[in-house]
Amino acid sequence: MIRDSSNAVRRTRYFLPTLKETPAEAQIVSHRLMLRAGMIRQASAGIYSWLPLGMRVLKKIEQIVREEQNRAGAQELLMPTIQSADLWRQSGRYDDYGKEMLRITDRHEREMLYGPTNEELITQIFASEVKSYRDLPLNLYHIQWKFRDEVRPRFGVMRGREFYMKDAYSFDLDAEAGRVAYNKMFVAYLRTFARMGLKVIPMRADTGPIGGDMSHEFLILAETGESAVYCHKAYLDMEVPAEGVDYGNHDALAKIVAGWTAEYAVTDEMHDAAACPVPADQLVTARGIEVGHIFFFGTKYSEPMGAKVTGPGGEEVFVEMGSYGIGVSRLAGAIIEACHDDAGAIWPESVAPFQVGLVNLRQGDDACDAACSDIFATLRDAGQEVLYDDRDERAGVKFADMDLIGLPWQLVVGPRGLKSGVVELKRRAGGEREELSVESALARLTGKRAS
Ligand code: 5CA
């Protein structure tokens, strides 16, 4: 096995500029913590650089999204960030998109733009390559940077101008098959967000500039959410489809979606207190963050852009389409909004930048240094992701930084404990601490039994 040496790092050699002070410009906790934990830095308004720790989280989120898209039968490709204005004139959206679109002119005076989404480009790719109904259904996705010149970029990566998005596009012969494609993505979304430790609520939504007649937003509950949420409390403990969910069983998928859409769940745009069918004692009123949005819009793009196939009877049919977005970079902030305490982030294991933070309480002490080096090497060789704080700093500084960064496990090695052969293992989430022998602690972290 080739080991990835970026998975086991020493803090003295790692670019992790944490901040003690709270940055004045950050209004919400995830923005504050991402700056303080050295995950991101602002490049210009609504545009961020992702530093090594932040990038690890971003890549973990991206990978979960990818695995669940692939499982649902979508295929990954990669389209460019820069698109031609002509393409957007064909759909009529070049003018509709207004000032949110960043328009660019190249040296030949050709009008270009930084893509805010990709319905046009993917439809063009489809239209030039796919000619027969036999090639359907088809769902293509990519994970790529987008740009929307938001009037008020704010809250760090939660509402950026440049942001990282997964966008998938489905192509089907008729509306019924399009509904199946929609259900597949719906189910994949339930699984995707659950894997990140999030409780998500799908809500009937407006379609906005994407258009279409069926749409759901996926929101996670968090006090700082931009949308007000009204939903039946049943959503708080609905069952998420298991890993083995059969995407080939269309009836089973329809049943899952029916269950998850049976109860009342809307944002403020669609809520009408007078007409709300849920009794007050069963209605959850909260705030939420939109982490995904899916749309079914039929032939809205296929018609103007000529995306048609030959049907089984030889007739030409405009394909039925849907599009399905996930805010990958927004999720890094949204997960912090959902999982943190006063001391810092509390990463779910699935998206944590490292699983273990190794804290040497007395750098320079021979016994501590030797024990830590051994533990570090063992964890590294077992393929564990570990950040070893080997700085010559006070214990208090190291503890505060570890809590701020929020790795799931902290392994604390000090001179007193070592004398009696023990180290301390702390779980960041609950704060429980346990004194264990080095062997037992390592066994716990690597999932092996202590000998
Ligand atoms: N074409 C469709 C689906 S692919 C689309 O663009 N949908 S969207 O506008 O709803 O965006 C998809 C997701 O991207 C949103 O649910 C949200 O999580 C994320 N997103 C949208 N705008 C921003 C932004 N300014 N900053 C960060 N994330 C954003």
Side-chain angles (χ1 to χ4, degrees), residues 398-420:
K398 293 191 177 187
F399 286 140
D401 253 20
M402 273 303 171
D403 281 352
L404 171 66
I405 294 166
L407 307 182
W409 297 98
Q410 297 174 12
L411 187 56
V412 182
V413 179
R416 224 174 315 136
L418 276 186
K419 279 208 183 95
S420 40

Side-chain angles (χ1 to χ4, degrees), residues 67-184:
E67 285 170 15
E68 295 302 329
Q69 289 293 293
N70 292 347
R71 211 195 292 279
Q75 298 177 54
E76 188 172 10
L77 46 62
L78 185 58
M79 290 175 272
T81 54
I82 306 290
Q83 304 179 23
S84 115
D86 284 343
L87 192 59
W88 284 67
R89 290 202 174 92
Q90 282 182 43
S91 70
R93 278 209 295 182
Y94 190 61
D95 295 324
D96 293 355
Y97 233 93
K99 284 190 182 272
E100 240 181 65
M101 180 181 275
L102 179 65
R103 297 154 204 262
I104 309 164
T105 310
D106 73 8
R107 67 190 332 172
H108 304 291
E109 299 297 321
R110 273 189 290 253
E111 292 172 275
M112 315 290 286
L113 56 99
Y114 195 123
T117 176
N118 280 56
E119 279 81 3
E120 283 77 0
L121 189 49
I122 196 76
T123 306
Q124 184 193 49
I125 293 172
F126 178 92
S128 43
E129 308 303 329
V130 182
K131 304 291 176 205
S132 161
Y133 77 95
R134 286 193 194 84
D135 297 321
L136 303 181
L138 186 63
N139 183 328
L140 300 170
Y141 76 98
H142 74 160
I143 304 174
Q144 177 62 293
W145 294 94
K146 304 289 187 291
F147 196 94
R148 293 182 191 171
D149 206 349
E150 304 270 351
V151 193
R152 288 220 303 142
R154 58 195 172 136
F155 303 156
V157 300
M158 300 262 279
R159 180 162 295 282
R161 293 199 295 163
E162 190 185 49
F163 60 97
Y164 204 39
M165 180 166 111
K166 183 286 296 182
D167 38 326
Y169 303 88
S170 64
F171 303 89
D172 286 280
L173 187 61
D174 53 37
E176 197 184 324
R179 177 75 211 210
V180 171
Y182 189 87
N183 289 349
K184 285 184 184 175

